[in-house]
Structure formats: C-alpha cells, structure tokens
Amino acid sequence: MNDRLQRYRDKRTGRSGEPGGAKARGSRSGKPRFVIQKHAARRLHYDFRLEVDGTLRSWAVPKGPSTDPREKRLAIEVEDHPLDYADFEGRIGRGNYGAGTVIVWDRGTYENLDDERDMAASIDAGHVKFRLEGEKLRGGWTLQRTGGGEKPQWLLIKRRDEDADARRNPESTQPESVKSGRTIEEVAAETEGGE
Ligand code: MN
C-alpha cells in the first residue's frame, strides 16, 4: 500500500460507497491511465488524475481542461487517490470527504513526453509533459507548477499540436460521462435519496 494514499484514507469514513483504496490495478494495455472526474462538490470542479507508481496523482481543476493552448487552467494539487477510484461514478454522501456527485468525464491512457525524467521526477520538478489518449482529450499537455505550499498550484495547458482547438470547448459541448453517457445532473437526480 502506497503511503501517499494515507491522506485519502484518513479523510474518508468508508460508508459512502466510493472505493477504499484496497486494490490496485493498471490498464489492460499496460500504459498508465488517466481519468478526469467531474465533481459537483461545494464547488463544481474537474479532478484530473494520472496513474503514477500505483496511485492516482491528482489535481483539482476548477474550470476543467481547455483544448485552447492560450487558456491556462488553474490546477490545484490534491491528495492521491487509489487506482480503483478511476472508475467511480455516483454520489458521495453528505458529511463524507468530497460529498457530492461524480461522473467519469474522460478517461484513457497517457504517455510521458519527457525523455529525461520519469513521471514522479517530473512532478517533483514541477514540470510535466505528457500525451493523452482519451475519448475526449488527446494530444500533448503540460502541467507547470507555479506555487508551493500544502496544496501547490499548477497550470494545465494544452500543447500546440494537431489536437489543439481553440473553439472546441469539450466541457460544455460534451458534458456527459464516458462511462454511462449520463450528465452529472442526471446522475445526481438518479441517486437522490439514496444516502
Ligand atoms: Mn474533487
């Protein structure tokens, strides 16, 4: 069990249906996975997660990713989540850590674009380059750290390549889950009263 997950387990109470972080499993292709979960908590945000060394390194992106390279999106580094959390969609009950509704907004695999450093070293260094192969997001992306502290601030930026598109706005034109086809509003309505 990865010690980096301890903060996640410390925060959750274990009664709200989301994974507890007991098991770890990689993608079928052998490539590391990424997932972006849209999370209607106190504030709506997107949780951007990269599989690194058996855990999901995680950033909360208030506005979600942009396919426009000129749009630098704030990404706040948050605690790791267990790999089995990547498929979680549903409601985290009131009073629990992260209470609110979650959908799997995009998922797939990624490739480290840094020839010199592995992903953990790149994150430590505050500069991460990777290529996403998701259902909605593809191509090169950069995460650049801009500030430290307990919850370091980063910028998530689309790299300039054939997958860059200033007019696509996938967060508004493709709001639905890639797991269930449902919007976060539909999932919230279906799970209402299920606490
Ligand atoms: Mn979240």
Side-chain angles (χ1 to χ4, degrees):
M1 180 54 72
N2 190 315
D3 286 343
R4 293 192 51 91
L5 286 173
Q6 192 59 46
R7 278 193 292 162
Y8 170 82
R9 290 197 304 274
D10 286 348
K11 283 188 177 183
R12 56 182 300 286
T13 59
R15 288 188 295 276
S16 53
E18 76 276 27
K23 63 181 180 191
R25 119 185 104 78
S27 67
R28 265 172 245 142
S29 65
K31 291 182 187 167
R33 296 195 292 170
F34 85 94
V35 64
I36 301 172
Q37 282 158 314
K38 187 175 181 180
H39 185 185
R42 271 175 299 182
R43 287 189 185 170
L44 183 72
H45 60 274
Y46 294 73
D47 289 302
F48 181 78
R49 309 189 197 278
L50 296 170
E51 176 186 355
V52 178
D53 300 338
T55 187
L56 293 172
R57 302 295 295 261
S58 298
W59 291 260
V61 185
K63 288 179 153 180
S66 173
T67 53
D68 182 349
R70 294 167 303 181
E71 281 278 328
K72 300 173 167 71
R73 293 287 164 88
L74 173 67
I76 300 153
E77 189 176 351
V78 295
E79 59 284 335
D80 293 8
H81 273 54
L83 290 187
D84 58 357
Y85 192 83
D87 296 316
F88 176 72
E89 181 166 298
R91 173 176 286 233
I92 301 170
R94 257 193 294 276
N96 292 286
Y97 170 58
T101 308
V102 175
I103 62 167
V104 178
W105 184 78
D106 197 15
R107 64 181 169 189
T109 60
Y110 77 88
E111 180 189 343
N112 179 9
L113 290 178
D114 193 316
D115 297 331
E116 314 272 304
R117 292 184 293 223
D118 64 20
M119 287 296 281
S122 291
I123 294 170
D124 283 348
H127 187 81
V128 193
K129 299 184 290 183
F130 49 91
R131 182 192 313 284
L132 298 180
E133 291 173 48
E135 295 185 37
K136 294 175 184 170
L137 301 186
R138 308 184 70 81
W141 295 75
T142 298
L143 269 167
Q144 175 70 53
R145 189 166 57 217
T146 59
E150 196 184 331
K151 294 204 166 174
Q153 297 197 352
W154 299 65
L155 294 171
L156 176 64
I157 310 161
K158 180 72 192 74
R159 296 174 73 83
R160 294 179 187 276
D161 59 20
E162 68 276 13
D163 294 297
D165 187 340
R167 292 182 304 269
R168 213 180 121 211
N169 300 323
E171 73 281 8
S172 53
T173 59
Q174 298 173 280
E176 73 287 347
S177 163
V178 295
K179 180 178 178 181
S180 66
R182 298 178 298 174
T183 64
I184 201 162
E185 292 81 7
E186 288 167 342
V187 172
E190 285 165 27
T191 55
E192 202 143 358
E195 296 174 19

